[in-house]
Amino acid sequence: MPVTVLLVDDEPLVRMGLRAVLEAQPDIEVVGEAADGAAVVPLVRQLRPEVVAMDVRMPLLDGIEATRAVLRTVDEPPKILVVTTFEDDEYVYEALRAGADGFLLKRARPAEIVHAVRLVAEGESLLFPASVRRLAGRYGAGDRPARTALERARLTEREAEVLRLMSSGLSNAEIADRLVVGAETVKSHVSAVLAKLGARDRTQAVIAAYESGFVEPG
Amino acid sequence: MPVTVLLVDDEPLVRMGLRAVLEAQPDIEVVGEAADGAAVVPLVRQLRPEVVAMDVRMPLLDGIEATRAVLRTVDEPPKILVVTTFEDDEYVYEALRAGADGFLLKRARPAEIVHAVRLVAEGESLLFPASVRRLAGRYGAGDRPARTALERARLTEREAEVLRLMSSGLSNAEIADRLVVGAETVKSHVSAVLAKLGARDRTQAVIAAYESGFVEPG
DNA sequence: GAGCGTCTCCCCCGGCCGGGGGAGGCCCGT
DNA sequence: ACGGGCCTCCCCCGGCCGGGGGAGACGCTC
């Protein structure tokens, strides 16, 4: 059965765009739309979507408040994907802290959007949108949303170990030596880590590791 | 004229190894050796080497104290390259704080050793030996040696900008778009950054950026 | 015993990356 | 006016990386 998605955005154009992109996929079904945050909770109760693509800036109730409302009032809440532009980065981190599961850049290409939806639907986090770095310096100490997001990624012990070694700058071959396993094995673990973190390459994974507090600089 | 190097290590075997490796290079000349830290300052005054390859654990005066002594008492002091094994990482960061210019792992391959010597001789730092990560958590707040080391790397404005973008997870193509320049241009900047940081690839450069405080996690 | 997750290894393949070397234009300081 | 640093772009090339897909072995749980 397909992944069910609820679109929440005050701009019809954006909703139509997302719908067009997502409906083109056989395994994704858009089950509803909302134009403001206030309508989200009742719609979620009614439609029980697996994923909510949630805009940040909306009338009545913004994406952050709507995210909080959904997670606070709905049993088995859907995954929340925060839809954003570069411009409202400052709001995004609040949404993540409110419990959202990932980012989605409006300017992302269709394939990336589809990928993001599938990822969160599978319970994986989407730690790494290209703009994550721009959030730096805006978190208060102690409440880093990304940390929970990475924890949500549920890395296995081996994968965590590989991520640590990646974060110390080692190549796959070097990691293989260190762990005394084959290079192909390391590749498997690395691929798993990238998928779970929503990272495109090892560099993004390492950044996510730093941003989330998984590793810490001096 | 060749780069002049002073070897300081209490083990003759290590000195011989280093000498063999370095002397094989036409552009590098080993001008002297010392077996303990106490002999370093007078030898530096006498020989005026451009680079000192300094062991950490030595009799009489260890590498950290010797480094301090040289930098404090010699005009136009040489570049200090700390020679270390994995095992004495805990001492290395002190050496860096004392003003050393880079690391050198004893188990590094000859080509890497030669490379390290050339780099520091050219006034560039060697931020990224494979073990840098192991230093994490040992720095006191406020006195991060790596920060000074990265500052010593003297990145140009453009290179710093590229490093920042690399540290936000962008690919070369994406950086090119963002800066509105050609992909080849970005490659040039990236290569320059890697060289100046002593990083092997962009991941190591990003790690160095985090470790040095050049970028900061949430 | 039949799953399921984890860890291990394999193949093929396209692509981005990074090294090496070169080159032209610009500004700035000598 | 010449040199040097910086930014820009170019070519060739080998290699690591990451995706896709598959598979066997182990241990756990149901």
Side-chain angles (χ1 to χ4, degrees):
Chain A
M1 52 208 171
V3 175
T4 52
V5 183
L6 172 65
L7 306 181
V8 187
D9 196 307
D10 58 324
E11 297 176 51
L13 190 64
V14 172
R15 293 202 306 273
M16 288 178 62
L18 284 172
R19 183 180 278 272
V21 166
L22 296 177
E23 295 269 83
Q25 303 302 316
D27 60 328
I28 299 180
E29 184 185 352
V30 176
V31 295
E33 297 185 7
D36 61 73
V40 174
V41 167
L43 270 176
V44 167
R45 286 187 187 280
Q46 180 195 333
L47 303 170
R48 307 212 67 81
E50 294 163 65
V51 177
V52 176
M54 178 93 74
D55 192 21
V56 176
R57 279 186 286 194
M58 287 184 298
L60 299 182
L61 202 65
D62 66 25
I64 294 108
E65 292 303 326
T67 298
R68 284 204 191 94
V70 168
L71 297 180
R72 200 175 51 228
T73 65
V74 178
D75 297 331
E76 301 185 38
K79 306 293 181 182
I80 310 273
L81 203 49
V82 178
V83 178
T84 180
T85 60
F86 273 119
E87 289 67 36
D88 32 45
D89 273 358
E90 52 261 44
Y91 302 103
V92 175
Y93 87 99
E94 289 186 39
L96 285 178
R97 211 165 56 186
D101 297 271
F103 300 78
L104 184 53
L105 281 177
K106 282 182 183 175
R107 65 187 63 178
R109 287 174 308 185
E112 295 173 334
I113 292 174
V114 168
H115 182 60
V117 170
R118 290 208 185 97
L119 272 182
V120 297
E122 291 165 12
E124 293 175 350
S125 61
L126 229 193
L127 253 194
F128 206 96
S131 64
V132 74
R133 179 86 274 282
R134 310 187 77 228
L135 299 177
R138 300 209 181 92
Y139 302 142
D143 56 3
R144 296 187 191 165
R147 175 188 294 260
T148 68
L150 198 152
E151 282 167 359
R152 226 181 272 129
R154 309 209 127 276
L155 299 182
T156 68
E157 214 171 302
R158 207 55 159 169
E159 287 160 359
E161 201 168 359
V162 168
L163 177 55
R164 266 187 290 275
L165 293 172
M166 287 165 67
S167 300
S168 77
L170 301 187
S171 67
N172 287 341
E174 287 164 343
I175 294 173
D177 285 347
R178 196 71 73 86
L179 297 182
V180 198
V181 296
E184 297 297 328
T185 302
V186 174
K187 281 185 59 178
S188 293
H189 292 314
V190 169
S191 290
V193 168
L194 298 187
K196 289 187 179 179
L197 297 191
R200 185 178 55 195
D201 51 53
R202 68 201 299 108
T203 304
Q204 291 190 349
V206 168
I207 292 169
Y210 273 94
E211 295 292 341
S212 68
F214 180 80
V215 297
E216 287 177 17
Chain B
M1 52 203 170
V3 174
T4 52
V5 182
L6 172 65
L7 306 181
V8 187
D9 196 307
D10 58 326
E11 297 175 52
L13 190 64
V14 173
R15 293 201 305 274
M16 287 177 63
L18 284 172
R19 183 180 278 273
V21 167
L22 296 176
E23 295 271 82
Q25 304 301 316
D27 60 329
I28 299 180
E29 184 185 352
V30 176
V31 295
E33 297 185 7
D36 61 74
V40 175
V41 168
L43 271 177
V44 167
R45 288 186 186 281
Q46 180 195 333
L47 304 170
R48 308 212 68 78
E50 294 163 65
V51 177
V52 176
M54 177 95 73
D55 191 20
V56 175
R57 279 186 285 195
M58 287 184 300
L60 298 182
L61 202 64
D62 66 25
I64 294 106
E65 292 303 326
T67 298
R68 285 204 191 92
V70 169
L71 297 180
R72 200 175 51 229
T73 65
V74 177
D75 298 329
E76 302 185 36
K79 306 293 179 181
I80 311 273
L81 203 49
V82 177
V83 177
T84 179
T85 61
F86 274 119
E87 289 67 37
D88 33 43
D89 272 0
E90 52 262 45
Y91 302 103
V92 176
Y93 86 100
E94 290 186 40
L96 286 178
R97 211 164 57 184
D101 297 271
F103 300 78
L104 184 53
L105 282 176
K106 283 182 182 174
R107 65 186 64 177
R109 286 175 307 187
E112 295 174 333
I113 292 174
V114 168
H115 182 59
V117 170
R118 291 208 185 97
L119 272 182
V120 297
E122 291 165 12
E124 293 176 351
S125 61
L126 230 193
L127 253 193
F128 207 96
S131 66
V132 74
R133 179 87 273 281
R134 309 187 77 228
L135 299 176
R138 299 209 181 94
Y139 302 144
D143 58 1
R144 296 189 192 163
R147 176 187 293 261
T148 67
L150 197 150
E151 282 167 359
R152 228 180 272 130
R154 309 211 128 275
L155 299 182
T156 69
E157 214 172 301
R158 206 53 160 171
E159 287 161 359
E161 201 168 0
V162 167
L163 177 55
R164 266 188 291 274
L165 293 172
M166 287 166 67
S167 299
S168 77
L170 302 187
S171 67
N172 287 341
E174 288 165 341
I175 293 173
D177 285 348
R178 195 72 74 86
L179 297 182
V180 198
V181 297
E184 296 299 328
T185 302
V186 174
K187 281 185 58 175
S188 293
H189 292 315
V190 170
S191 290
V193 168
L194 298 187
K196 289 187 178 179
L197 297 192
R200 184 179 55 194
D201 51 52
R202 66 200 301 107
T203 303
Q204 291 190 349
V206 168
I207 292 169
Y210 273 94
E211 296 292 340
S212 68
F214 180 80
V215 297
E216 286 178 16

